[in-house]
Amino acid sequence: MPVSAALFVLALLFGGASGVAAQDAGSPAWFEVETLNEGLGPTPASIDRTTPRSSVESFLIEARDENWLAAAQMLDLSDIPVAEQREEGQRRAQDFLILLERKIIIDWYALRDRPDGLDERGGDGAMIGKPRRSILLWYVDLEDRPLPIRINRVKSVDGEPVWVVARQTVDNLPELGAAYGPSELELMLPETWRAPAFFGLRWWEAVAVPMVVMITLLAGRILHGAISALSRRSTRLTTEALLVATRGPVVLVGMTFALAMLSQRMFTFSGRIDSVLSPLIVIGAVVSVLWFVVNIADAIVSRLVNFDGAELSEIGEGQELRRDMATRVSAIRRGMIVVIAMVGSGIVLNEASVMQSLGISLLASAGTLTLVAAYAARDILSNIMASLQISINQSARIGDKIEFRGNLCSVERINFTYVQLRIWTGKRLVVPVVDFVSEPFENWTMQEPFMLGEVTLRLRHDADIEPLRARYHEILDGMEDTDEPDSRGCYVTDHDVFGQHVLFLVPCPNPNTAWALTCEVREKLLVAARRIDAKGKGLFPKVEAAEAA
């Protein structure tokens, strides 16, 4: 994990529910300095720096009135020589206003209107109910490292405690102002376009945002059309497969690049818009890379391993190994997707500051979000684990012939949440993986393909079985793939008031044709039984249909 990501996560984990920085319980209630902004002169009476909220409000009022000298009073200029504080302080105040308007969304609920900054709302945060001397407003990225934007409670030797922008934040303001200040394109716009409009936006932003969205979608559309045209013109299957596999990720990369260039190079949007666009850019970049990896891996694996259920269900030398390989590779693919999804989520959360951008505190909401997510995803997670269980224990493999819930099927796909079965009629049966593994089923191709079909006829108590037994052997001798003398058999397995139950075994070396072969033998046995019965040697019970029912 990058150092910046680690620092960001640690800062969020040890921050309060409202983004408030913690300090030791035994620390003083303020930071002590010898002098505060001595080079700015007396503090105007219109400025109120006694509480976190009043200090930020005073800064915004003075800065928006372009009273930069008064606005500079809300900055801790301790690292600037006294002789330069007046001039430099005004420039830093302008940079801080840029930051507030373009990158920071102020949580006014976290800025308490109390001198000690104490949050009396209650809760489970580490600093709930305790005085503060430092409050975290936001994190801002600068040269791939997150910088905390803080206000501190500071007390000079001969003054009262006041809330001002932290000295460390003030030191970084010139670089931050240059990074997030108005773009050249914005400066070229008429003054009326840069005037405030609504919802904290400027008029040019109200026009630019829809335009950015349309250009981003257009870029994706153009890329999709171009790659689709290339894939249609390709004469090689491998090239076509790779183009199709990379089409989605490339389109997403193009859209992400277009959005990044428009929102970070051509325009510098306000914090309300940037807090949505910046995470989208990072999410798009991460998802496109991971999507590309998965699709390319799929395309390569599809060329090396056959996943066609119809071909895998064939019986022959090496087919058992092919079914094992296809099922294991499918399991590895699913596991890889799970790992990639977890890695991608971690990168997005750590690098894009998504949780902060959406105004959610990890510490305050982690327990609730975890419970909600776990409840919502319980079925999905259980299906994923069951899917991996099937692949590990090999109870059903791609291409296996099985009987499930009375349906003769072949396994076509084992996905994350469902198993796709192909019924012998050509219909598809989609079964949740959890249901599939929790119910017993017959696997006709596990271990070895040979199996015995069963044909049961109900004959009279006094019926002579020998003529029908002889005909049974003749039927098998005249059919292909039934020359298994040791596996043949004709047995009286049961009897009731209507007659005796006679079982005829049908050797079936190929489970794919076992059902049809058994049906064929049953038909021929019935034909033979009718002929014997017609000669006066009664075989069938003399009962009415209603009696049998």
Side-chain angles (χ1 to χ4, degrees), residues 203-216:
W203 285 110
W204 70 266
E205 290 179 303
V207 176
V209 170
M211 184 175 67
V212 167
V213 173
M214 292 177 60
I215 294 175
T216 301

mmCIF file with all atom_site columns, all heavy atoms in Angstrom, residues 203-216:
data_model
loop_
_atom_site.group_PDB
_atom_site.id
_atom_site.type_symbol
_atom_site.label_atom_id
_atom_site.label_alt_id
_atom_site.label_comp_id
_atom_site.label_asym_id
_atom_site.label_entity_id
_atom_site.label_seq_id
_atom_site.pdbx_PDB_ins_code
_atom_site.Cartn_x
_atom_site.Cartn_y
_atom_site.Cartn_z
_atom_site.occupancy
_atom_site.B_iso_or_equiv
_atom_site.pdbx_formal_charge
_atom_site.auth_seq_id
_atom_site.auth_comp_id
_atom_site.auth_asym_id
_atom_site.auth_atom_id
_atom_site.pdbx_PDB_model_num
ATOM 1   N N   . TRP A 1 203 ? -22.078 30.246 -12.623 1.00 0.00 ? 203 TRP A N   1
ATOM 2   C CA  . TRP A 1 203 ? -22.877 30.063 -13.827 1.00 0.00 ? 203 TRP A CA  1
ATOM 3   C C   . TRP A 1 203 ? -22.155 29.189 -14.856 1.00 0.00 ? 203 TRP A C   1
ATOM 4   O O   . TRP A 1 203 ? -22.778 28.371 -15.529 1.00 0.00 ? 203 TRP A O   1
ATOM 5   C CB  . TRP A 1 203 ? -23.223 31.425 -14.436 1.00 0.00 ? 203 TRP A CB  1
ATOM 6   C CG  . TRP A 1 203 ? -24.294 32.151 -13.673 1.00 0.00 ? 203 TRP A CG  1
ATOM 7   C CD1 . TRP A 1 203 ? -24.151 33.270 -12.912 1.00 0.00 ? 203 TRP A CD1 1
ATOM 8   C CD2 . TRP A 1 203 ? -25.667 31.770 -13.587 1.00 0.00 ? 203 TRP A CD2 1
ATOM 9   N NE1 . TRP A 1 203 ? -25.342 33.637 -12.340 1.00 0.00 ? 203 TRP A NE1 1
ATOM 10  C CE2 . TRP A 1 203 ? -26.313 32.724 -12.743 1.00 0.00 ? 203 TRP A CE2 1
ATOM 11  C CE3 . TRP A 1 203 ? -26.433 30.734 -14.115 1.00 0.00 ? 203 TRP A CE3 1
ATOM 12  C CZ2 . TRP A 1 203 ? -27.661 32.652 -12.437 1.00 0.00 ? 203 TRP A CZ2 1
ATOM 13  C CZ3 . TRP A 1 203 ? -27.787 30.671 -13.813 1.00 0.00 ? 203 TRP A CZ3 1
ATOM 14  C CH2 . TRP A 1 203 ? -28.384 31.625 -12.989 1.00 0.00 ? 203 TRP A CH2 1
ATOM 15  N N   . TRP A 1 204 ? -20.846 29.367 -14.982 1.00 0.00 ? 204 TRP A N   1
ATOM 16  C CA  . TRP A 1 204 ? -20.132 28.573 -15.970 1.00 0.00 ? 204 TRP A CA  1
ATOM 17  C C   . TRP A 1 204 ? -20.139 27.087 -15.596 1.00 0.00 ? 204 TRP A C   1
ATOM 18  O O   . TRP A 1 204 ? -20.132 26.207 -16.478 1.00 0.00 ? 204 TRP A O   1
ATOM 19  C CB  . TRP A 1 204 ? -18.696 29.071 -16.148 1.00 0.00 ? 204 TRP A CB  1
ATOM 20  C CG  . TRP A 1 204 ? -17.770 28.811 -14.992 1.00 0.00 ? 204 TRP A CG  1
ATOM 21  C CD1 . TRP A 1 204 ? -17.480 29.655 -13.968 1.00 0.00 ? 204 TRP A CD1 1
ATOM 22  C CD2 . TRP A 1 204 ? -17.010 27.625 -14.754 1.00 0.00 ? 204 TRP A CD2 1
ATOM 23  N NE1 . TRP A 1 204 ? -16.605 29.084 -13.101 1.00 0.00 ? 204 TRP A NE1 1
ATOM 24  C CE2 . TRP A 1 204 ? -16.293 27.828 -13.562 1.00 0.00 ? 204 TRP A CE2 1
ATOM 25  C CE3 . TRP A 1 204 ? -16.858 26.415 -15.428 1.00 0.00 ? 204 TRP A CE3 1
ATOM 26  C CZ2 . TRP A 1 204 ? -15.439 26.867 -13.028 1.00 0.00 ? 204 TRP A CZ2 1
ATOM 27  C CZ3 . TRP A 1 204 ? -16.020 25.451 -14.902 1.00 0.00 ? 204 TRP A CZ3 1
ATOM 28  C CH2 . TRP A 1 204 ? -15.308 25.679 -13.716 1.00 0.00 ? 204 TRP A CH2 1
ATOM 29  N N   . GLU A 1 205 ? -20.177 26.773 -14.294 1.00 0.00 ? 205 GLU A N   1
ATOM 30  C CA  . GLU A 1 205 ? -20.222 25.373 -13.871 1.00 0.00 ? 205 GLU A CA  1
ATOM 31  C C   . GLU A 1 205 ? -21.559 24.734 -14.230 1.00 0.00 ? 205 GLU A C   1
ATOM 32  O O   . GLU A 1 205 ? -21.622 23.557 -14.611 1.00 0.00 ? 205 GLU A O   1
ATOM 33  C CB  . GLU A 1 205 ? -19.998 25.269 -12.363 1.00 0.00 ? 205 GLU A CB  1
ATOM 34  C CG  . GLU A 1 205 ? -18.574 25.609 -11.930 1.00 0.00 ? 205 GLU A CG  1
ATOM 35  C CD  . GLU A 1 205 ? -18.405 25.528 -10.431 1.00 0.00 ? 205 GLU A CD  1
ATOM 36  O OE1 . GLU A 1 205 ? -19.143 26.217 -9.703  1.00 0.00 ? 205 GLU A OE1 1
ATOM 37  O OE2 . GLU A 1 205 ? -17.518 24.765 -9.991  1.00 0.00 ? 205 GLU A OE2 1
ATOM 38  N N   . ALA A 1 206 ? -22.641 25.523 -14.112 1.00 0.00 ? 206 ALA A N   1
ATOM 39  C CA  . ALA A 1 206 ? -23.962 24.989 -14.465 1.00 0.00 ? 206 ALA A CA  1
ATOM 40  C C   . ALA A 1 206 ? -24.023 24.598 -15.935 1.00 0.00 ? 206 ALA A C   1
ATOM 41  O O   . ALA A 1 206 ? -24.776 23.685 -16.312 1.00 0.00 ? 206 ALA A O   1
ATOM 42  C CB  . ALA A 1 206 ? -25.032 26.032 -14.145 1.00 0.00 ? 206 ALA A CB  1
ATOM 43  N N   . VAL A 1 207 ? -23.239 25.274 -16.767 1.00 0.00 ? 207 VAL A N   1
ATOM 44  C CA  . VAL A 1 207 ? -23.196 24.945 -18.190 1.00 0.00 ? 207 VAL A CA  1
ATOM 45  C C   . VAL A 1 207 ? -22.155 23.869 -18.472 1.00 0.00 ? 207 VAL A C   1
ATOM 46  O O   . VAL A 1 207 ? -22.373 22.966 -19.292 1.00 0.00 ? 207 VAL A O   1
ATOM 47  C CB  . VAL A 1 207 ? -22.896 26.209 -19.023 1.00 0.00 ? 207 VAL A CB  1
ATOM 48  C CG1 . VAL A 1 207 ? -22.754 25.859 -20.500 1.00 0.00 ? 207 VAL A CG1 1
ATOM 49  C CG2 . VAL A 1 207 ? -23.979 27.260 -18.811 1.00 0.00 ? 207 VAL A CG2 1
ATOM 50  N N   . ALA A 1 208 ? -21.018 23.929 -17.773 1.00 0.00 ? 208 ALA A N   1
ATOM 51  C CA  . ALA A 1 208 ? -19.899 23.032 -18.069 1.00 0.00 ? 208 ALA A CA  1
ATOM 52  C C   . ALA A 1 208 ? -20.171 21.594 -17.638 1.00 0.00 ? 208 ALA A C   1
ATOM 53  O O   . ALA A 1 208 ? -19.747 20.652 -18.313 1.00 0.00 ? 208 ALA A O   1
ATOM 54  C CB  . ALA A 1 208 ? -18.628 23.547 -17.396 1.00 0.00 ? 208 ALA A CB  1
ATOM 55  N N   . VAL A 1 209 ? -20.871 21.408 -16.519 1.00 0.00 ? 209 VAL A N   1
ATOM 56  C CA  . VAL A 1 209 ? -21.085 20.043 -16.025 1.00 0.00 ? 209 VAL A CA  1
ATOM 57  C C   . VAL A 1 209 ? -21.853 19.189 -17.035 1.00 0.00 ? 209 VAL A C   1
ATOM 58  O O   . VAL A 1 209 ? -21.421 18.078 -17.375 1.00 0.00 ? 209 VAL A O   1
ATOM 59  C CB  . VAL A 1 209 ? -21.794 20.068 -14.652 1.00 0.00 ? 209 VAL A CB  1
ATOM 60  C CG1 . VAL A 1 209 ? -22.237 18.671 -14.252 1.00 0.00 ? 209 VAL A CG1 1
ATOM 61  C CG2 . VAL A 1 209 ? -20.869 20.630 -13.591 1.00 0.00 ? 209 VAL A CG2 1
ATOM 62  N N   . PRO A 1 210 ? -23.007 19.629 -17.557 1.00 0.00 ? 210 PRO A N   1
ATOM 63  C CA  . PRO A 1 210 ? -23.681 18.814 -18.589 1.00 0.00 ? 210 PRO A CA  1
ATOM 64  C C   . PRO A 1 210 ? -22.813 18.605 -19.832 1.00 0.00 ? 210 PRO A C   1
ATOM 65  O O   . PRO A 1 210 ? -22.847 17.528 -20.434 1.00 0.00 ? 210 PRO A O   1
ATOM 66  C CB  . PRO A 1 210 ? -24.938 19.630 -18.923 1.00 0.00 ? 210 PRO A CB  1
ATOM 67  C CG  . PRO A 1 210 ? -25.169 20.494 -17.733 1.00 0.00 ? 210 PRO A CG  1
ATOM 68  C CD  . PRO A 1 210 ? -23.811 20.824 -17.213 1.00 0.00 ? 210 PRO A CD  1
ATOM 69  N N   . MET A 1 211 ? -22.037 19.626 -20.183 1.00 0.00 ? 211 MET A N   1
ATOM 70  C CA  . MET A 1 211 ? -21.181 19.504 -21.350 1.00 0.00 ? 211 MET A CA  1
ATOM 71  C C   . MET A 1 211 ? -20.098 18.446 -21.128 1.00 0.00 ? 211 MET A C   1
ATOM 72  O O   . MET A 1 211 ? -19.799 17.637 -22.017 1.00 0.00 ? 211 MET A O   1
ATOM 73  C CB  . MET A 1 211 ? -20.535 20.851 -21.668 1.00 0.00 ? 211 MET A CB  1
ATOM 74  C CG  . MET A 1 211 ? -19.697 20.833 -22.944 1.00 0.00 ? 211 MET A CG  1
ATOM 75  S SD  . MET A 1 211 ? -19.067 22.476 -23.347 1.00 0.00 ? 211 MET A SD  1
ATOM 76  C CE  . MET A 1 211 ? -17.933 22.743 -21.971 1.00 0.00 ? 211 MET A CE  1
ATOM 77  N N   . VAL A 1 212 ? -19.514 18.421 -19.927 1.00 0.00 ? 212 VAL A N   1
ATOM 78  C CA  . VAL A 1 212 ? -18.496 17.426 -19.594 1.00 0.00 ? 212 VAL A CA  1
ATOM 79  C C   . VAL A 1 212 ? -19.087 16.021 -19.661 1.00 0.00 ? 212 VAL A C   1
ATOM 80  O O   . VAL A 1 212 ? -18.469 15.085 -20.188 1.00 0.00 ? 212 VAL A O   1
ATOM 81  C CB  . VAL A 1 212 ? -17.902 17.713 -18.201 1.00 0.00 ? 212 VAL A CB  1
ATOM 82  C CG1 . VAL A 1 212 ? -17.080 16.526 -17.698 1.00 0.00 ? 212 VAL A CG1 1
ATOM 83  C CG2 . VAL A 1 212 ? -17.028 18.959 -18.239 1.00 0.00 ? 212 VAL A CG2 1
ATOM 84  N N   . VAL A 1 213 ? -20.290 15.858 -19.125 1.00 0.00 ? 213 VAL A N   1
ATOM 85  C CA  . VAL A 1 213 ? -20.949 14.545 -19.156 1.00 0.00 ? 213 VAL A CA  1
ATOM 86  C C   . VAL A 1 213 ? -21.191 14.100 -20.590 1.00 0.00 ? 213 VAL A C   1
ATOM 87  O O   . VAL A 1 213 ? -20.933 12.939 -20.965 1.00 0.00 ? 213 VAL A O   1
ATOM 88  C CB  . VAL A 1 213 ? -22.268 14.596 -18.365 1.00 0.00 ? 213 VAL A CB  1
ATOM 89  C CG1 . VAL A 1 213 ? -23.046 13.292 -18.537 1.00 0.00 ? 213 VAL A CG1 1
ATOM 90  C CG2 . VAL A 1 213 ? -22.005 14.856 -16.891 1.00 0.00 ? 213 VAL A CG2 1
ATOM 91  N N   . MET A 1 214 ? -21.657 15.009 -21.438 1.00 0.00 ? 214 MET A N   1
ATOM 92  C CA  . MET A 1 214 ? -21.949 14.656 -22.827 1.00 0.00 ? 214 MET A CA  1
ATOM 93  C C   . MET A 1 214 ? -20.674 14.291 -23.586 1.00 0.00 ? 214 MET A C   1
ATOM 94  O O   . MET A 1 214 ? -20.644 13.318 -24.347 1.00 0.00 ? 214 MET A O   1
ATOM 95  C CB  . MET A 1 214 ? -22.664 15.817 -23.519 1.00 0.00 ? 214 MET A CB  1
ATOM 96  C CG  . MET A 1 214 ? -24.075 16.077 -23.007 1.00 0.00 ? 214 MET A CG  1
ATOM 97  S SD  . MET A 1 214 ? -24.853 17.525 -23.791 1.00 0.00 ? 214 MET A SD  1
ATOM 98  C CE  . MET A 1 214 ? -24.828 17.020 -25.509 1.00 0.00 ? 214 MET A CE  1
ATOM 99  N N   . ILE A 1 215 ? -19.599 15.050 -23.364 1.00 0.00 ? 215 ILE A N   1
ATOM 100 C CA  . ILE A 1 215 ? -18.331 14.756 -24.058 1.00 0.00 ? 215 ILE A CA  1
ATOM 101 C C   . ILE A 1 215 ? -17.777 13.419 -23.594 1.00 0.00 ? 215 ILE A C   1
ATOM 102 O O   . ILE A 1 215 ? -17.246 12.633 -24.391 1.00 0.00 ? 215 ILE A O   1
ATOM 103 C CB  . ILE A 1 215 ? -17.325 15.894 -23.815 1.00 0.00 ? 215 ILE A CB  1
ATOM 104 C CG1 . ILE A 1 215 ? -17.816 17.190 -24.475 1.00 0.00 ? 215 ILE A CG1 1
ATOM 105 C CG2 . ILE A 1 215 ? -15.951 15.519 -24.351 1.00 0.00 ? 215 ILE A CG2 1
ATOM 106 C CD1 . ILE A 1 215 ? -16.941 18.389 -24.191 1.00 0.00 ? 215 ILE A CD1 1
ATOM 107 N N   . THR A 1 216 ? -17.901 13.131 -22.300 1.00 0.00 ? 216 THR A N   1
ATOM 108 C CA  . THR A 1 216 ? -17.412 11.853 -21.770 1.00 0.00 ? 216 THR A CA  1
ATOM 109 C C   . THR A 1 216 ? -18.167 10.687 -22.392 1.00 0.00 ? 216 THR A C   1
ATOM 110 O O   . THR A 1 216 ? -17.563 9.688  -22.816 1.00 0.00 ? 216 THR A O   1
ATOM 111 C CB  . THR A 1 216 ? -17.572 11.822 -20.241 1.00 0.00 ? 216 THR A CB  1
ATOM 112 O OG1 . THR A 1 216 ? -16.832 12.906 -19.669 1.00 0.00 ? 216 THR A OG1 1
ATOM 113 C CG2 . THR A 1 216 ? -17.059 10.512 -19.671 1.00 0.00 ? 216 THR A CG2 1
#
